[in-house]
Amino acid sequence: MRQAIMNHPRTGHLRFGVALLIAGCAAPTAIAPAASVPNAPAASAAVAKAPAPELGFPEETFRAQQPGGGEPRPLEKPALQRFKLKNGIEVFLIERHKLPILSLSLVFEGGQMLDPKGKEGLASQCVSLMSEGTQKLDKLALEDALADLASNVNSTAGPDSHSVGMSSLKKNLDATADLWADSLLRPGLRQDEFDRTLKRRVAGLKQMRGVPGAVAGRLADSIAYGEGHPYARFPTEASYGSFGLDDCKRFIAERVRPASAQLFVVGDITRAEVEEKLGARLAAWKGKATAPAKPGPAKPRPGRVFFVDIPNAAQSVVYLMHGGPKRTAPDYRPTSVMSGILGEGFSSRINMNIREKHGYAYGARGGFAYTRTDSTYRANASVKTDVTKESIVEMLKEIRGMKDGEATDEELSREKQGRILSLPARFATGGAALAAYRELIYYGLPMDYYESFVQGIQTVDHAGIKAAAKKYLRPGDLQLFVVGDGKTVLPKLKELAATADFGGKGDVTILDTDGKTTTAAAPP
């Protein structure tokens, strides 16, 4: 056998390697210990006598200067095709034929803004149920069918929109489109799936009560926008118990309709295929949903300092918030650069202070969170419990420093170059490109917005940054929201509330984990 392998004409080049392998399999040769060799020097002594290597470093002068960024390349945006299907659905299509995949999302206006008072969570629960089975296939059968196709169907509701989407390999488009259309037009809406998913949501609420970050994220909007504002709504155990499956059937019948819906498609598909394979499946679907009421301006909750007690929390979550400009404001670009210098990146002032200088947190940031109608400025961090007050003082100092001071040339250059050089990433993939266009549509910006983006950022100067900081940073209006360990944090928060920075009255509004005013500590 061994000889046959060695002599085979296609394995001749392996002879030497095989010979080594065979030799390596032989019994090992016994090696005498070093001590048994007469007059052999000790290994440690030989090492000790070896001269230490001298370390040398290049001294070229160019190493003292960090390399600059290259010249911006011309922006190559994929073409966006915009047309309507016969039943009125507006389509936004980006063709990307390099890979045989595609994805789409059918978006409706409304989302959680449609939740009736006392039934918060209705839209999210009902829309998510649409991808939990069809009239023909229950949850497990639908998942099996999608898994066989390597496809996905999803449905979700956000603050002001809800959607039903899918992703598929091109070769499986027809079969996946059938399952997607069934989920959209003929969802199963079974009682057992409603009960199961609702129980999971309620369990999630109970679990999050002991997590400072989850509690803070849930309640922050209710402070910044004010109770009752559409963007301030969030579900509770009581609201989840206030509606049933019939409410979901009614919501879907009234709020999932084609007129005014927008279909976003990206991938290996043409307009003709969209009209043939998707439009045909939706051709008989008619109807118009009542437009939701406009959210209106923010009306921040009365008070300057708010606190939720999570006993024994190892960290405190801190938010500093006030209202901000619209996304369509003409000075958005200098505002964006100013916000980046202050808190949006790793090298920002807030992060360099809180993380690098003081070590209070792994990271801290700040920036404007935009909606269709306005924005809020938010500086936030998850900090060590015993330095909660100190972290707040330092974050406030950086906000004031940005408003009253000047940006450095290095900060200005860094933020401008970062925005310009990262622009191609917005269009690097089909999904990213479609998201960029969806953002323009969402905010009501012109579709050629990015044509002048680089030129617009290049014109931002120190004067523009200073003007934006003076106009949009209002330290005297900041609301402070903290979630953490009451016995450690609350006394120092009262000290802060007694200062002029937060009204000087010493008042702290204590909330429970559902945002209700209380005088007692919230349960863990």
Side-chain angles (χ1 to χ4, degrees):
M1 178 72 176
R2 181 190 308 169
Q3 188 65 32
I5 294 174
M6 297 288 286
N7 292 331
H8 194 283
R10 298 187 60 186
T11 56
H13 64 285
L14 296 177
R15 293 177 182 177
F16 183 66
V18 174
L20 288 178
L21 178 62
I22 295 171
C25 295
T29 303
I31 300 176
S36 65
V37 181
N39 303 320
S44 59
V47 173
K49 292 179 181 179
E54 294 185 5
L55 298 179
F57 297 95
E59 296 182 358
E60 293 90 341
T61 56
F62 77 89
R63 296 183 184 276
Q65 181 67 36
Q66 179 178 333
E71 288 297 318
R73 298 180 181 179
L75 178 61
E76 298 180 2
K77 298 194 288 69
L80 177 71
Q81 300 178 56
R82 192 169 181 172
F83 56 95
K84 285 190 176 183
L85 299 179
K86 292 181 179 180
N87 64 347
I89 294 176
E90 188 171 17
V91 180
F92 300 86
L93 168 65
I94 293 179
E95 294 187 29
R96 305 274 291 202
H97 300 288
K98 291 183 179 180
L99 294 174
I101 56 176
L102 64 114
S103 60
L104 63 85
S105 181
L106 183 60
V107 180
F108 309 86
E109 189 176 2
Q112 296 166 21
M113 288 201 306
L114 299 173
D115 289 344
K117 187 175 181 179
K119 293 187 176 183
E120 291 81 7
L122 174 70
S124 181
Q125 166 67 5
C126 297
V127 173
S128 69
L129 203 61
M130 296 179 69
S131 54
E132 295 289 332
T134 68
Q135 292 177 5
K136 294 181 179 178
L137 303 174
D138 63 16
K139 168 70 172 178
L140 295 178
L142 176 61
E143 287 191 347
D144 286 344
L146 290 168
D148 289 342
L149 299 169
S151 300
N152 172 264
V153 171
N154 57 80
S155 56
T156 185
D160 50 18
S161 67
H162 48 282
S163 64
V164 182
M166 78 170 198
S167 60
S168 174
L169 295 169
K170 177 64 178 286
K171 66 179 182 180
N172 295 331
L173 173 58
D174 286 325
T176 306
D178 285 339
L179 297 174
W180 173 74
D182 277 349
S183 297
L184 175 66
L185 306 178
R186 295 168 287 276
L189 304 181
R190 295 175 174 80
Q191 186 67 52
D192 60 337
E193 292 299 337
F194 176 88
D195 294 339
R196 179 183 62 81
T197 55
L198 195 66
K199 286 179 181 179
R200 185 174 61 193
R201 289 175 180 270
V202 172
L205 285 183
K206 293 178 178 179
Q207 185 179 32
M208 73 185 297
R209 295 186 190 281
V211 183
V215 173
R218 183 172 180 238
L219 302 184
D221 281 341
S222 69
I223 294 171
Y225 282 96
E227 294 179 284
H229 192 281
Y231 288 136
R233 296 173 181 168
F234 55 84
T236 64
E237 292 178 52
S239 70
Y240 276 143
S242 67
F243 57 83
L245 182 61
D246 287 341
D247 295 280
C248 283
K249 292 179 179 179
R250 186 162 45 251
F251 179 94
I252 292 169
E254 295 175 355
R255 297 297 184 177
V256 182
R257 293 185 173 183
S260 74
Q262 296 174 324
L263 179 62
F264 296 89
V265 187
V266 60
D268 189 13
I269 190 170
T270 64
R271 173 174 176 171
E273 289 173 319
V274 169
E275 292 173 332
E276 174 191 351
K277 297 181 179 296
L278 302 179
R281 287 174 168 83
L282 306 179
W285 187 32
K286 307 290 183 181
K288 182 178 181 180
T290 304
K294 300 299 181 183
K299 296 181 179 179
R301 187 167 180 166
R304 292 293 304 280
V305 182
F306 299 84
F307 178 70
V308 177
D309 181 25
I310 306 292
N312 303 315
Q315 292 182 319
S316 298
V317 176
V318 174
Y319 276 83
L320 288 166
M321 306 179 291
H322 65 54
K326 294 182 178 180
R327 175 61 179 83
T328 52
D331 55 357
Y332 168 78
R333 284 164 179 160
T335 301
S336 172
V337 174
M338 178 274 294
S339 178
I341 293 171
L342 177 56
E344 290 184 11
F346 184 88
S347 298
S348 67
R349 294 183 179 184
I350 289 176
N351 191 62
M352 286 288 105
N353 184 326
I354 300 300
R355 174 188 164 114
E356 297 299 299
K357 181 179 179 181
H358 290 102
Y360 293 158
Y362 284 115
R365 61 188 63 251
F368 292 95
Y370 290 93
T371 67
R372 273 197 176 102
T373 55
D374 56 15
S375 69
T376 54
Y377 181 79
R378 305 183 186 197
N380 68 285
S382 182
V383 304
K384 294 187 293 185
T385 296
D386 59 351
V387 291
T388 301
K389 177 183 176 182
E390 292 80 359
S391 300
I392 296 166
V393 169
E394 293 299 323
M395 292 168 73
L396 184 60
K397 182 179 76 173
E398 295 298 345
I399 295 172
R400 281 213 170 92
M402 189 78 245
K403 178 181 178 64
D404 299 331
E406 300 277 352
T408 67
D409 290 340
E410 187 277 331
E411 289 174 325
L412 177 61
S413 175
R414 180 191 73 221
E415 293 301 322
K416 289 171 61 174
Q417 287 298 308
R419 279 157 176 73
I420 291 171
L421 296 177
S422 65
L423 179 59
R426 288 179 175 264
F427 301 93
T429 66
L434 200 59
Y437 283 120
R438 280 191 67 177
E439 182 179 306
L440 299 181
I441 296 165
Y442 177 83
Y443 292 122
L445 295 166
M447 298 306 289
D448 62 352
Y449 173 84
Y450 288 107
E451 299 295 337
S452 60
F453 180 86
V454 172
Q455 182 181 1
I457 292 294
Q458 286 174 333
T459 61
V460 175
D461 56 15
H462 286 285
I465 290 176
K466 189 172 183 65
K470 288 284 187 184
K471 185 176 182 180
Y472 296 126
L473 295 179
R474 307 193 309 274
D477 293 337
L478 285 167
Q479 291 180 300
L480 171 61
F481 177 37
V482 180
V483 181
D485 179 35
K487 64 181 180 298
T488 304
V489 174
L490 190 54
K492 293 187 177 182
L493 283 188
K494 291 181 178 179
E495 294 175 7
L496 279 175
T499 66
D501 291 335
F502 295 101
K505 298 180 180 179
D507 295 336
V508 177
T509 303
I510 301 177
L511 309 176
D512 64 16
T513 53
D514 283 334
K516 297 178 181 178
T517 304
T518 180
T519 56

